[in-house]
Amino acid sequence: MFTRHLFSIFLLLLSFGSSAQTIKGDDATYMSDPIEPANRLVWDFNYYVLDGYIYKPVTETYVDWVPKAGRVAINNMVLNLDEPSTMVNNLLQLEFGRATDAFFRFTFNSTFGLLGLFDVAKYGGVERRRETFSNVLGRWSVPHGPYLMVPFIGPRSTRILAGSIVDSLYFPYSYFELWQTGVVIGLNGLDVREGLLGQEILLEQSLDPYTFVKEAYMQFEAFKFNANGASTEEFLLLKQQESQKKTDENLNDFLDEID
C-alpha cells in the first residue's frame, strides 16, 4: 500500500516536472522557482527550527561520540544499499559496464565487507559511482522542473524528488519497513550534515541565505550530475579553490591598476 502511494506521487511529480521550463534553458543547472514564497517559509522552518534545534546539535553529538572510522563504516553501509538502484539506473542508460560494477560492489561489499561496513570493492579497483533515477531522466533530456524546499528534507528539484521516490522502490528498500527506511535516511542525513559543519558562516555572511542555498544546491547537483559519486567535501573544496582563484585575480587586477 505504501509503495503504491509513492508511485502515484511519483507520476504526479513527473508530469509536473517534465512540463516545467528551467531558467535560461540549462537543464543541468538551473531550476525555476514558481512557489518561492512557500519555499521561503519552509526554508525558515528547516533552517531556524529543525537545523538549529535538532539536526546540528544531533550531528555534533554524533561526531563527538562516534569515532571517524565508525562514522565512515556506517556511511559505507548506507551507501551500499544504493548499489542495486545504481545497477538498474545504469542499465536504463545502457551503461552495462557500470551496471556490472555496481552489482559487483554490492555483492562483494555485502559479503566480504560485512554488509557494506567496509568498502573492500574499492581496493579491488571498483570505485563507487552513484547513479539515480533522476540522472536517468536527465540523460534523456527531462528537465529539472521547479525548485522545491521540502519540509524536513531540504532543497530538491522536482525531478530529483521524483527520482528519489523511484529509487526507494528498488531492492533492498522495497523490503524495508517504514521505520527502517527512516533510520537509513537519518544516518545518511548525519553524514551530509557532518560535511557541512563549519560552513554555517557562509550563510550568516550572505545577504539572502535562501537564494544562497538555492544557487549552491543547483551548482552542487550540476557538479554531481557531471561527476558521479562526487561528495559534498569535493564540491566545497572546488568552490573554495574557485573563490581563492577569483580573489587572487581581483588582487592582481588591483595591483595592475596601481602600477
Side-chain angles (χ1 to χ4, degrees):
M1 178 67 70
F2 180 66
T3 55
R4 285 201 296 270
H5 286 317
L6 284 179
F7 190 66
S8 299
I9 295 171
F10 156 68
L11 292 177
L12 177 64
L13 289 171
L14 184 57
S15 63
F16 181 44
S18 60
S19 62
Q21 296 299 312
T22 54
I23 303 173
K24 300 182 182 178
D26 186 349
D27 296 341
T29 305
Y30 293 98
M31 310 166 197
S32 61
D33 192 1
I35 57 171
E36 181 176 336
N39 280 335
R40 283 184 176 273
L41 289 176
V42 176
W43 155 255
D44 288 342
F45 172 71
N46 283 351
Y47 182 66
Y48 295 108
V49 179
L50 291 180
D51 190 71
Y53 292 99
I54 300 176
Y55 294 160
K56 184 179 178 182
V58 169
T59 302
E60 291 174 335
T61 302
Y62 176 68
V63 171
D64 290 339
W65 285 88
V66 180
K68 178 66 175 178
R71 301 198 302 274
V72 170
I74 292 172
N75 191 47
N76 283 339
M77 181 180 64
V78 171
L79 294 178
N80 187 56
L81 299 175
D82 292 332
E83 296 293 354
S85 62
T86 292
M87 180 185 69
V88 175
N89 291 328
N90 273 311
L91 288 175
L92 292 175
Q93 298 178 79
L94 307 181
E95 295 284 356
F96 302 112
R98 291 175 182 170
T100 302
D101 288 345
F103 175 77
F104 171 79
R105 284 184 53 82
F106 182 72
T107 54
F108 207 75
N109 286 343
S110 296
T111 51
F112 298 102
L114 303 180
L115 299 180
L117 288 171
F118 304 98
D119 190 359
V120 291
K122 179 177 67 174
Y123 299 105
V126 185
E127 296 284 345
R128 178 181 292 112
R129 186 183 176 90
R130 178 72 174 123
E131 279 292 347
T132 64
F133 190 73
S134 172
N135 285 357
V136 175
L137 297 176
R139 297 296 179 187
W140 297 110
S141 301
V142 176
H144 266 295
Y147 172 81
L148 303 172
M149 182 61 67
V150 185
F152 301 97
I153 297 176
R156 294 289 186 277
S157 74
T158 309
R159 190 185 81 198
I160 290 172
L161 182 60
S164 64
I165 293 173
V166 174
D167 288 335
S168 71
L169 302 178
Y170 295 142
F171 174 86
Y173 290 108
S174 58
Y175 290 93
F176 283 5
E177 298 290 339
L178 184 58
W179 70 268
Q180 293 171 316
T181 302
V183 169
V184 173
I185 293 174
L187 291 174
N188 182 65
L190 284 173
D191 179 72
V192 173
R193 189 61 184 88
E194 179 186 349
L196 297 173
L197 288 177
Q199 302 298 324
E200 295 84 0
I201 190 173
L202 298 176
L203 286 177
E204 296 169 0
Q205 293 177 345
S206 64
L207 295 176
D208 185 355
Y210 172 82
T211 300
F212 176 86
V213 168
K214 180 171 65 174
E215 293 179 350
Y217 175 75
M218 292 178 185
Q219 294 175 22
F220 182 42
E221 288 303 327
F223 177 65
K224 289 196 303 180
F225 185 81
N226 293 290
N228 298 39
S231 66
T232 308
E233 289 79 4
E234 290 178 274
F235 176 73
L236 291 174
L237 178 61
L238 177 65
K239 300 308 292 181
Q240 290 170 356
Q241 292 173 343
E242 291 177 352
S243 177
Q244 184 61 48
K245 181 180 179 181
K246 186 174 182 180
T247 300
D248 292 342
E249 290 175 350
N250 291 337
L251 179 60
N252 290 333
D253 292 340
F254 176 73
L255 294 176
D256 291 340
E257 291 179 4
I258 295 178
D259 293 340

